[in-house]
Amino acid sequence: MTLIQFIIPAEIAHASIAELGELGKVQFRDLNPNVNAFQRTFVSEIRRLDEMERQCRFLQSQIEKLGIPFKSVSSDTLVATSLTAQEIDDLEESLSDHERCIIQMNSSYETLLHRCLQLTELRHVLKESAVFFEQVESRNAQHQQSEEAPLLLTDDIEHGEQTSAGQIENLGYVTGVIPRDKLQIFERVLWRILRGNLYMNFAEIQDIIVDPLDIEKKIQKNVFAIFAHGQEVVNKIRKISESMGGTLYTVDEDHNKRLEALDQVTTRIRDLNIVLTQTQETRRTELLNVADHLTAWYTTVLKEKGTYHTMNLFNYDLNRKCLIAEGWCSKLDVPIVNLALKNAIEDSGANMPSVFTELSQTKRKPPTYHRTNKFTEGFQNIIDAYGIARYREVNPGLFTIISFPFLFAVMFGDIGHGFLMFCFALYLVLNEKRLASVKDEIFTMFFSGRYMMLLMGLFSIFTGCIYNDMFSLSLNVFRSGFDWPSNYTATESVEGIPNGDVYPFGFDPGWHGSENYLLFSNSYKMKQAIIVGVIHMSFAICLNVYNHVHYGNKMFIWLEFLPQILFMESIFGYLIFCIMYKWSVNWWELDSDGHHIHNPPPNLLNMLIYMFLSPGKVMPEDQLYVGQGPVQLVLILLAVICVPWMWFAKPYYLKRKHDQKLLEGEENEQQPESSSGSPTIISEDEEEEEEKFEFSEEMIHQTIHTIEFCLNCISNTASYLRLWALSLAHAQLSSVLWDMTLKIWFNFTGPIAVIGLVIGFSMWFVLTIGILLCMEGLSAFLHALRLHWVEFDGKFYMGDGIKFEPFSFKALLADK
């Protein structure tokens, strides 16, 4: 990375930065960190573009409500020269006109719809109230013929005498509609407050009514008519109705007038529906026109806004009327950036060249940039999730391309399961152009790791060949090393007899199905996990050498790396040696007299424990090789020496180096300053405060680091046993699934066998995909991820860098 500086005339600054945004190769620095965001140079332009972006979002929401598809815009159309000020003004005016038109039509449509909904409710009220009034009139006529006066028609001093039959002028009434879910509560409240002195009638509206107060809300309503004595009671009923969400409508008592009003309402509804349809079509036509250009408009606004946000990071020189910018760029991309600036100047037609300078001498910490492609991107994202590499630090992503699929495959080893995963990943790879447009979140996660799954499937096939395991069954590719007796009964225990042959690759199929298969496979997989883990961690420790050399700390190789690698190999490297040696010896070899040449094979776990409990002493019956005791004593002494070596050497070296630096500083201060040289100006931005050295803090830090390393060597080695545990779990789940779904049907014949095999295969396939591939695959993925983050990266990777995030229109539009 290199720090570059631009001095761009203000007239072509916008076009130049837009060109760099299309290129996406420069990460600009903020040269105004102490300036408030509202006090920067181009804040007015950003506010203007914010308003235009809001208008685009409003138009987008209106288009999405009607389900109108957006017209896609090709990438070549979007990559265009920056717009002029006049074109931005025209775009702003166009967006404002479209927004104003849509808002006006929405307001008119909502007003008309609100009125139409009210008339619809009134029509239902007029229809149903005719029945209510007829019921009241007939009831009054019946009571007038009887001796007993009705409750609501009793003579009342306040309301005068009863009128003639068929008239209900002495009764007050309230009509309207109310939501059906509030009807029961409404009835109870009225009954209790008015003490039953009312006549109520309700009728359901069969049609679903749209609430006039909320057009998008559809509710079921009932028409009600309430008759009572007295104006005060009627007013009270009105208040209760409105408080319960009811809508009141005035209905005339006269039957003829109600019919006339019903005809008028029906005619008005018909007219309003015609106007509503025309308004909706006009709005849809307007939005269709907007949808053809909205994507291009929105993209333009976002680009312009990003350009001005970037220009706010620059210093504005009022005297020279130019913008001064600084940014980080890859050294390989410097010629491309310089060429882009020249092209921007030529396209703008201005004859004002910009100044492009590389600032090679800087104390600033550069950002970290790893070039990736679609194959390596997924692996690098795994490392970046742990931490961004320090600038020029060893990048673990390169080694993760091989180590991650391999560790996954050690836990997931199965030829069949690996083949299914490989086929799925291969489908994603071959159709990546078509599938890249799918926006589903879960699918996008799988799609981004398609090449990772491709390698995971391939490595799983490889380890499945080593385990000789295919859907829990073995493959007899080569001749087995064991012969089985041909004459035996079902109750006898049969022992395989070695025939002298060695199976060329992987597990001998003779082990499959035997009683001691788990004992054999567990022993192998446990030792394999230890070997892989120690080699993996040892490689991580060795990568510290490259970091020490690059950062100019070559002494740390002797003070830190050497004791660490010696401590690791004197204990766990020796354990690997013992495992390999034990595998290489034929412990049951006989001499000419038929006696065993070697003692029984020792238990390596007990050997490692007694190596520390009784240093230098090994019992003859537990001896692995001649001279084992002295060798183990030397290794223990070496490991013990490495602890204080790691603990004290580095802090004292740093203290000595610091004291020497202070001494050199005092000597330089005593020398007279030369007045012939020109003064050196150091800006505040270029200065970096050097961290104050404290020997006590360094000792505390090194103490923690030493204890952590020694303990981690033990715990991390044990952590790699998860390779054995998950491999065992995967194999056993596969075996149980085969036995419980398919194998049981092989003992049947006839139609039952056919039906059972079809059902069993369906269950086996679905459970294999769901449990063994998805669940077990996810589990193995997470465990492999932990081994890389903690056990591998923790040995050398600092991960405290700054990610390179260039100003790019492509990334800006992807976020939106």
Side-chain angles (χ1 to χ4, degrees):
M1 300 297 291
T2 181
L3 184 63
I4 55 179
Q5 186 183 65
F6 307 92
I7 301 178
I8 310 173
E11 291 80 2
I12 62 172
H14 182 273
S16 300
I17 302 305
E19 185 71 22
L20 293 178
E22 297 289 354
L23 186 63
K25 298 293 184 181
V26 182
Q27 176 181 336
F28 291 98
R29 288 185 53 239
D30 188 1
L31 301 182
N32 307 297
N34 299 322
V35 179
N36 190 286
F38 299 101
Q39 298 176 345
R40 302 209 174 192
T41 307
F42 302 100
V43 65
S44 59
E45 286 82 356
I46 292 177
R47 286 177 177 173
R48 177 188 179 191
L49 291 167
D50 279 336
E51 177 62 19
M52 295 171 65
E53 184 181 1
R54 184 200 60 77
Q55 293 170 345
C56 290
R57 287 198 303 267
F58 169 76
L59 295 174
Q60 180 182 1
S61 65
Q62 295 297 312
I63 293 172
E64 290 175 350
K65 282 183 180 180
L66 295 182
I68 299 174
F70 293 94
K71 183 179 179 181
S72 60
V73 181
S74 62
S75 58
D76 296 335
T77 305
L78 296 179
V79 180
T81 57
S82 59
L83 300 182
T84 62
Q86 182 60 42
E87 291 173 333
I88 295 295
D89 293 340
D90 294 342
L91 177 58
E92 181 182 21
E93 184 178 356
S94 177
L95 288 173
S96 299
D97 292 341
H98 286 300
E99 182 190 29
R100 192 181 309 109
C101 181
I102 296 299
I103 290 176
Q104 184 178 358
M105 285 189 286
N106 286 346
S107 178
S108 301
Y109 182 79
E110 291 175 1
T111 303
L112 293 172
L113 182 60
H114 181 80
R115 184 56 185 160
C116 183
L117 295 174
Q118 287 180 332
L119 292 175
T120 303
E121 290 184 350
L122 179 57
R123 183 182 62 182
H124 286 285
V125 171
L126 290 171
K127 285 182 179 181
E128 301 297 338
S129 62
V131 180
F132 299 158
F133 279 100
E134 291 176 0
Q135 292 176 355
V136 172
E137 290 173 358
S138 63
R139 184 174 180 181
N140 288 339
Q142 293 175 4
H143 282 295
Q144 287 175 0
Q145 295 175 3
S146 63
E147 296 179 357
E148 183 182 355
L151 177 63
L152 290 177
L153 301 179
T154 306
D155 293 340
D156 195 306
I157 299 176
E158 180 183 354
H159 297 95
E161 297 297 326
Q162 179 180 332
T163 61
S164 62
Q167 299 294 326
I168 53 174
E169 295 176 355
N170 61 329
L171 281 179
Y173 58 91
V174 178
T175 56
V177 294
I178 191 169
R180 192 170 301 170
D181 56 349
K182 297 182 179 180
L183 181 60
Q184 189 175 6
I185 301 175
F186 178 57
E187 187 176 2
R188 288 182 180 179
V189 170
L190 287 176
W191 187 264
R192 291 178 180 177
I193 292 178
L194 302 181
R195 301 179 182 275
N197 190 23
L198 74 162
Y199 175 70
M200 305 172 62
N201 209 336
F202 301 93
E204 292 184 358
I205 300 177
Q206 299 300 326
D207 300 333
I208 297 177
I209 303 298
V210 179
D211 191 354
L213 302 177
D214 187 359
I215 298 175
E216 297 181 356
K217 184 179 180 181
K218 297 182 179 180
I219 56 178
Q220 294 179 331
K221 291 189 175 184
N222 281 22
V223 175
F224 68 86
I226 303 171
F227 300 88
H229 275 301
Q231 188 62 36
E232 292 184 2
V233 176
V234 172
N235 292 337
K236 188 178 295 185
I237 293 173
R238 288 180 176 274
K239 291 180 180 179
I240 295 173
S241 301
E242 292 174 349
S243 66
M244 298 293 292
T247 307
L248 303 181
Y249 295 97
T250 302
V251 177
D252 199 280
E253 298 177 3
D254 187 77
H255 179 69
N256 295 327
K257 291 184 178 180
R258 287 199 302 270
L259 290 178
E260 184 181 352
L262 181 60
D263 293 337
Q264 292 178 357
V265 168
T266 304
T267 304
R268 292 177 64 186
I269 290 176
R270 189 183 305 112
D271 295 339
L272 279 175
N273 284 331
I274 295 173
V275 177
L276 282 172
T277 303
Q278 293 176 350
T279 305
Q280 183 74 350
E281 288 299 323
T282 304
R283 186 176 68 162
R284 184 176 182 84
T285 303
E286 179 71 16
L287 290 176
L288 281 171
N289 184 29
V290 173
D292 292 338
H293 306 89
L294 185 60
T295 303
W297 292 345
Y298 204 178
T299 302
T300 301
V301 170
L302 291 176
K303 285 185 176 182
E304 291 295 319
K305 185 178 175 182
T307 300
Y308 281 110
H309 267 298
T310 303
M311 292 171 65
N312 268 340
L313 304 177
F314 305 161
N315 279 334
Y316 183 64
D317 193 336
L318 292 175
N319 296 327
R320 293 184 289 179
K321 292 184 179 181
C322 63
L323 291 174
I324 302 174
E326 290 184 5
W328 294 101
C329 175
S330 173
K331 289 185 178 180
L332 297 177
D333 296 331
V334 170
I336 303 176
V337 173
N338 197 5
L339 180 62
L341 283 176
K342 293 180 180 178
N343 292 337
I345 295 173
E346 292 176 0
D347 294 339
S348 63
N351 191 17
M352 295 175 289
S354 60
V355 179
F356 179 85
T357 309
E358 289 189 52
L359 304 178
S360 57
Q361 300 296 328
T362 179
K363 296 181 180 179
R364 295 201 162 273
K365 186 177 181 181
T368 302
Y369 175 45
H370 294 127
R371 293 182 184 272
T372 58
N373 51 35
K374 59 184 180 181
F375 180 80
T376 60
E377 184 179 7
F379 297 98
Q380 188 61 51
N381 289 337
I382 289 178
I383 301 302
D384 291 344
Y386 176 79
I388 305 300
R390 184 182 293 183
Y391 182 64
R392 306 289 288 181
E393 183 181 11
V394 173
N395 180 24
L398 180 64
F399 316 109
T400 305
I401 296 175
I402 299 299
S403 60
F404 188 88
F406 176 73
L407 293 183
F408 172 87
V410 171
M411 297 178 279
F412 197 75
D414 188 286
I415 299 174
H417 300 155
F419 179 74
L420 291 177
M421 180 177 290
F422 174 78
C423 290
F424 175 68
L426 186 63
Y427 169 78
L428 297 179
V429 170
L430 296 179
N431 298 275
E432 59 185 10
K433 291 183 179 180
R434 178 171 58 87
L435 299 174
S437 59
V438 178
K439 299 301 181 183
D440 183 73
E441 184 177 358
I442 297 179
F443 179 80
T444 303
M445 180 176 61
F446 282 102
F447 183 74
S448 61
R450 58 193 181 280
Y451 289 99
M452 190 183 304
M453 287 192 295
L454 191 72
L455 289 185
M456 287 158 57
L458 280 176
F459 277 78
S460 297
I461 295 174
F462 170 74
T463 53
C465 292
I466 294 178
Y467 299 155
N468 200 355
D469 200 356
M470 182 175 180
F471 298 124
S472 77
L473 301 177
S474 62
L475 299 177
N476 293 288
V477 180
F478 308 102
R479 188 171 186 272
S480 174
F482 295 92
D483 292 332
W484 299 95
S486 56
N487 299 322
Y488 60 90
T489 61
T491 58
E492 289 185 74
S493 296
V494 181
E495 181 177 349
I497 302 172
N499 54 22
D501 294 332
V502 177
Y503 202 72
F505 185 80
F507 281 14
D508 194 308
W511 287 102
H512 187 80
S514 62
E515 294 182 358
N516 57 346
Y517 172 69
L518 278 181
L519 184 65
F520 167 74
S521 62
N522 280 348
S523 176
Y524 166 77
K525 290 181 179 180
M526 183 188 300
K527 294 179 176 64
Q528 172 189 262
I530 296 296
I531 293 173
V532 170
V534 173
I535 293 175
H536 198 215
M537 291 188 293
S538 300
F539 178 67
I541 296 174
C542 292
L543 291 177
N544 280 307
V545 175
Y546 296 94
N547 288 335
H548 295 328
V549 171
H550 172 74
Y551 292 116
N553 300 320
K554 293 185 179 180
M555 278 300 296
F556 288 177
I557 298 176
W558 304 97
L559 304 178
E560 191 171 45
F561 161 73
L562 193 57
Q564 286 181 354
I565 194 67
L566 289 177
F567 181 87
M568 184 73 181
E569 302 308 321
S570 62
I571 300 176
F572 300 102
Y574 174 68
L575 178 60
I576 291 181
F577 166 77
C578 293
I579 292 173
M580 303 296 288
Y581 182 82
K582 184 179 178 180
W583 281 349
S584 65
V585 174
N586 183 6
W587 296 95
W588 312 112
E589 185 180 1
L590 302 177
D591 57 13
S592 59
D593 298 331
H595 301 292
H596 288 287
I597 298 177
H598 305 283
N599 56 300
N603 187 304
L604 296 183
L605 181 61
N606 292 336
M607 182 207 73
L608 189 65
I609 294 174
Y610 283 104
M611 175 179 171
F612 290 91
L613 295 181
S614 55
K617 297 180 182 179
V618 179
M619 302 298 292
E621 61 272 15
D622 296 331
Q623 185 169 294
L624 185 67
Y625 59 89
V626 179
Q628 181 179 355
V631 171
Q632 293 183 168
L633 180 61
V634 172
L635 293 176
I636 290 175
L637 291 176
L638 182 60
V640 171
I641 292 173
C642 288
V643 174
W645 189 355
M646 283 186 285
W647 192 353
F648 299 107
K650 182 179 176 181
Y652 276 99
Y653 167 76
L654 292 176
K655 183 177 184 302
R656 179 183 175 185
K657 187 176 180 180
H658 177 69
D659 294 341
Q660 185 177 1
K661 187 176 180 180
L662 291 178
L663 183 61
E664 292 177 355
E666 292 177 358
E667 292 178 355
N668 293 334
E669 289 178 359
Q670 294 176 1
Q671 294 179 359
E673 296 183 358
S674 175
S675 58
S676 59
S678 59
T680 303
I681 301 176
I682 302 177
S683 64
E684 294 182 0
D685 292 342
E686 286 295 330
E687 289 185 350
E688 285 191 359
E689 293 186 4
E690 186 177 352
E691 186 178 354
K692 187 177 180 181
F693 178 82
E694 289 287 345
F695 180 71
S696 58
E697 292 183 4
E698 190 63 34
M699 277 299 301
I700 293 173
H701 171 77
Q702 192 63 24
T703 301
I704 296 173
H705 179 68
T706 302
I707 295 174
E708 181 185 20
F709 178 82
C710 295
L711 295 179
N712 282 349
C713 285
I714 302 172
S715 63
N716 292 350
T717 303
S719 179
Y720 276 91
L721 290 176
R722 69 185 69 237
L723 299 175
W724 154 61
L726 266 76
S727 175
L728 172 64
H730 186 81
Q732 290 304 301
L733 279 174
S734 180
S735 178
V736 169
L737 193 61
W738 173 267
D739 294 341
M740 298 299 292
T741 56
L742 273 178
K743 187 178 179 180
I744 57 177
W745 299 106
F746 293 152
N747 298 324
F748 294 86
T749 57
I752 297 178
V754 175
I755 297 173
L757 284 174
V758 171
I759 297 174
F761 177 79
S762 301
M763 294 179 59
W764 173 82
F765 185 77
V766 171
L767 293 176
T768 296
I769 298 297
I771 297 177
L772 294 179
L773 261 68
C774 295
M775 295 179 60
E776 279 287 303
L778 180 60
S779 175
F781 179 89
L782 293 176
H783 283 284
L785 189 64
R786 180 245 151 78
L787 290 176
H788 278 79
W789 280 357
V790 179
E791 278 71 25
F792 182 68
D793 292 346
K795 295 290 185 296
F796 72 98
Y797 188 56
M798 299 300 294
D800 57 353
I802 303 171
K803 187 176 182 179
F804 178 66
E805 296 177 335
F807 170 57
S808 170
F809 287 149
K810 182 179 180 180
L812 181 66
L813 297 176
D815 293 339
K816 295 293 183 179

